[in-house]
Amino acid sequence: MTIQGTFEETGNGAKPSHTEAAGHEEHGDYRVLGLLTFLFSESLMFGGLFAAYLVYRASTETWPPESTEVELLLPAINTIILVSSSFVIHRGDSAIKKGDVNGLRVWYLATALMGIVFLGGQVYEYLTLGYGLTTNVFSNCFYVMTGFHGLHVLVGVLLIFGVMWRSRRTNHYNAEKHTGVEMAEIYWHFVDIIWIILFVLLYVLTQI
Amino acid sequence: MAQADLTMDHSLERNGKHPEKWNWYHYFWYNTDHKVIGIQYLVTSFAFYLIAGVMALFMRAELYTPDSDLLDPNMYNALLTNHGTMMIFFWIVPAAIGGFGNYLVPLMIGAKDMAFPNLNAIAFWLNPPAGALLIASLFFGGAQSGWTAYPPLSLVTNNIGQSFWILSIVLVGTSSILGSVNFLITIFKLKTPNMTWDELPLFCWAMIATSILALFSTPVLAIGLVLLLFDINFGTGFFRPEMGGSVVVYQHLFWFYSHPAVYLMILPIFGIMSEIVTTHARKPIFGYKAIAYSSLAICIVGLFVWVHHMFTSGTPAWMRMFFTISTLIVAVPTGVKIFSWVATLWGGKIRFTTPLLFAVGLLAMFVFGGLSGVTLGTAPFDIHVHDTYYVVAHFHYVLFGGSVFGIYAAVYHWFPKITGRMYNETWGRIHFVLTFIGTNLTFLPMHQLGMQGMPRRIAMYDAQFEALNQICTYGSMLLGFSVLPFLINMIWCWAKGKPAGRNPWHSLTLEWQTTSPPAIENFDEEPIIWAGPYDYGIDTQSLETEATVEEMLEEVGQEVR
């Protein structure tokens, strides 16, 4: 009787591959909650960095020191791109909630491209700034903070590509089952929020 | 009926994925069972305990005479750095949190495994490469700036060793964050539905507090160390005053983690204490809620005391005042716990088993270390004894007398559960007596050395301190020797001990209600909570109604169905 039951279970369309890989057969899916907890912790990593930056800012007379000024135009455009990408990725999430896998792919691809443009802009800025990592304590902070954030953007882009890659399989994501999609989106929002704080600290507070 | 079918299906499905019972080689490879991971943590961390212990013995041997005649002073510095690092990051933290946390939490809350078994395995497997990096650093001369790695010392001594050291700590830090995420979600979400929060074992409460602390503080240490890595290798000047940086920023980032790390190392032990004291005194725990909430209080207050390590770092007066007060406040919830354990013991039917002996030893030692901690938390006194052997004495009383005694107590207490066999009581008691005497002989004289002004972390010292140092060295040799009866007892009884049965201590927490060692998925069916975890000597079975046994059985039968 029990064996019969087993066949029925696997027989009626439940996809063992994905859920088993995640190891979540017998309880709810808490991956989103886990990710949020992790991101909370991750944000404190940036918190430590920001606190250190503010201490250096407070204890240095002219901030940023002369000859290491930042430019504002390009980063502002970059900021607009990154912030709007958060809305774009949300369209992808809404699409899969309606069961529209193609919509998911399109919007996620758009987000990834925006992320790549952002990273390109960042690299361009590095190349044109005229000072390097080791110039003074401001440039130390500048490169480490933006670099560390850029690393997170890169991870976010890879996650998005991961979601797109997985969406090839029929019915891997559908209206009911799309935790991976949601996680990539949450991570992307996180990267975005960190950037806004970073932008204020590095680009806005240095103009005043 | 349909539900019962479903659960059976699952067990069958799972049985297809793993064997009935793990073979020995399953313990040496990637495995997602929380019990296997717990044992992996315990055994690897114990290996590091032995390595770091041997380092300590060499240091004590060097300190037998005032001159540096056994070890090269650089070697001595490398040993003291790695002794501290290994004992903290590779022994106490992984053994208490990774080992017992993983092994016990799912069992205690009636779950089949952790919420994220794969993440759990990954978190463990970050440890071996981290340990390998640390050991590799020794071949390059090792980090030599103490476990605190303060710049500028860490910037000017052995850059390669220091860089390896940093990478190693960042890896274990990552492991600790991943583990903490797992513990929190597991306890909050997988607690068996019929267990109320008031019935959650106190060890799990302690693990909640521990995990929150780790999530708050570990990332800050990680970023501080990454900045240090940049300073050493990539020419930045975060901590180089000549480039506009500040060494005190490092100290803040470091201690923001490393003071809470002290609670990471003691909170799980407090949880273990609550389990052991009540089980072996056969009495309900005194003040369940007080103990549970005081863990959370320690966790919150503990985040705001870190500057008491920096009273001599040019700290402004208001900061000294603030952090002296907060440090003294953190002693209050700790005192609440101590009081509760003593009150639990008082009038209990105490069984002088080895776990209880270690628990009582812990009480005595920890109170002693706690008192010297209060003196150190007071800025005026701290400035006098800062960086002397008084500090060494203090933290060895809390970390060795507290944490290590707690881990020993836990190993003996849960040995029957983990292995299914009993340890040898006589050898356990011998181990306790040797350890207790050895600890006090080693660390008690250090208080006096510190008060007289002997600085820590120095291979050579003034000749007037020789006699006391020799006592310490004898004590450390006794401590080193005391590990032998433990090792023999553990290895021998794991192989040949008397079968223990499912619940040799007649304990009421859930982990004792399943087989020893527990089956791979822990419980055959969802456990039903009959009584609170500490209702010793309380008749919870008979109800006020006049129901007969048959009627009650009938009722239970229906619930099960």
Side-chain angles (χ1 to χ4, degrees), chain B residues 405-540:
Chain B
F405 270 54
I407 293 173
Y408 276 142
V411 169
Y412 284 110
H413 182 71
W414 280 288
F415 185 84
K417 178 50 63 184
I418 294 174
T419 63
R421 293 174 188 278
M422 275 314 272
Y423 62 86
N424 182 309
E425 196 63 60
T426 315
W427 282 104
R429 288 180 189 174
I430 292 172
H431 173 220
F432 168 73
V433 171
L434 290 178
T435 314
F436 192 77
I437 298 173
T439 311
N440 285 295
L441 206 57
T442 313
F443 302 118
L444 195 61
M446 290 185 185
H447 290 93
Q448 195 184 341
L449 285 173
M451 297 289 271
Q452 291 174 348
M454 176 171 162
R456 63 190 279 215
R457 293 177 167 164
I458 302 281
M460 290 157 278
Y461 57 88
D462 198 275
Q464 58 165 317
F465 301 126
E466 190 171 10
L468 281 174
N469 266 300
Q470 289 181 348
I471 299 178
C472 295
T473 302
Y474 289 128
S476 71
M477 299 301 155
L478 184 60
L479 263 188
F481 178 73
S482 77
V483 178
L484 293 180
F486 173 73
L487 262 182
I488 294 169
N489 195 353
M490 292 296 112
I491 294 171
W492 180 262
C493 292
W494 199 332
K496 305 242 154 137
K498 252 190 1 243
R502 94 184 8 221
N503 192 357
W505 307 126
H506 307 288
S507 182
L508 291 174
T509 37
L510 277 181
E511 80 272 23
W512 297 102
Q513 315 311 323
T514 182
T515 46
S516 304
I520 287 180
E521 301 257 312
N522 295 349
F523 301 97
D524 299 335
E525 52 199 35
E526 190 123 304
I528 294 164
I529 312 284
W530 280 98
Y534 310 112
D535 287 349
Y536 298 104
I538 294 179
D539 188 1
T540 49

Side-chain angles (χ1 to χ4, degrees), chain B residues 197-216:
Chain B
W197 284 101
D198 283 355
E199 289 165 346
L200 186 69
L202 287 163
F203 179 73
C204 298
W205 276 106
M207 285 307 296
I208 292 177
T210 310
S211 307
I212 294 175
L213 261 186
L215 286 174
F216 261 101

Side-chain angles (χ1 to χ4, degrees), chain A residues 1-2 5-6 9 20-21 24-25 27 30-31 33-34 37 40-41 44-45 48-49 55-56 133-134 140-141 144, chain B residues 5 8-9 12-13 17 115-116 118 177 181 185 189-190 215-216 219 222-223 234-239 246 249:
Chain A
M1 186 197 92
T2 46
T6 320
E9 257 288 281
E20 266 182 30
H24 288 281
E25 198 55 67
H27 59 72
Y30 302 121
R31 280 178 292 165
L33 202 59
T37 319
F40 164 77
S41 193
L44 277 153
M45 208 163 185
L49 206 52
V55 170
Y56 293 131
L133 172 69
T134 57
N140 296 168
C141 289
V144 168
Chain B
D5 265 9
M8 281 179 168
D9 290 344
L12 259 187
E13 209 173 301
K17 290 197 325 177
F116 309 111
N118 273 309
I177 292 174
V181 171
I185 309 285
K189 291 293 178 186
L190 300 192
L215 286 174
F216 261 101
I223 199 68
F234 306 118
T236 56
F238 291 105
F239 309 130
S246 158
V249 170

Side-chain angles (χ1 to χ4, degrees), chain A residues 110-185:
Chain A
T111 315
L113 290 178
M114 289 167 96
I116 290 169
V117 169
F118 174 88
L119 286 176
Q122 199 76 358
V123 171
Y124 178 78
E125 190 188 3
Y126 284 178
L127 295 177
T128 50
L129 265 181
Y131 54 86
L133 172 69
T134 57
T135 309
N136 58 32
V137 76
F138 172 77
S139 76
N140 296 168
C141 289
F142 176 83
Y143 281 100
V144 168
M145 283 161 78
T146 51
F148 195 51
H149 175 266
L151 212 61
H152 280 75
V153 177
L154 187 67
V155 171
V157 169
L158 292 178
L159 283 178
I160 290 171
F161 280 133
V163 167
M164 288 166 60
W165 180 253
R166 286 191 151 192
S167 74
R168 288 170 310 128
R169 276 187 249 152
T170 353
N171 215 17
H172 187 81
Y173 299 119
N174 55 39
E176 282 78 42
K177 188 173 73 70
H178 47 256
T179 314
V181 178
E182 255 175 80
M183 288 170 81
E185 187 197 353

Side-chain angles (χ1 to χ4, degrees), chain B residues 228-247:
Chain B
L228 189 65
L229 191 72
F230 269 79
D231 270 13
I232 293 175
N233 295 299
F234 306 118
T236 56
F238 291 105
F239 309 130
R240 293 183 191 271
E242 69 273 20
M243 290 174 69
S246 158
V247 290

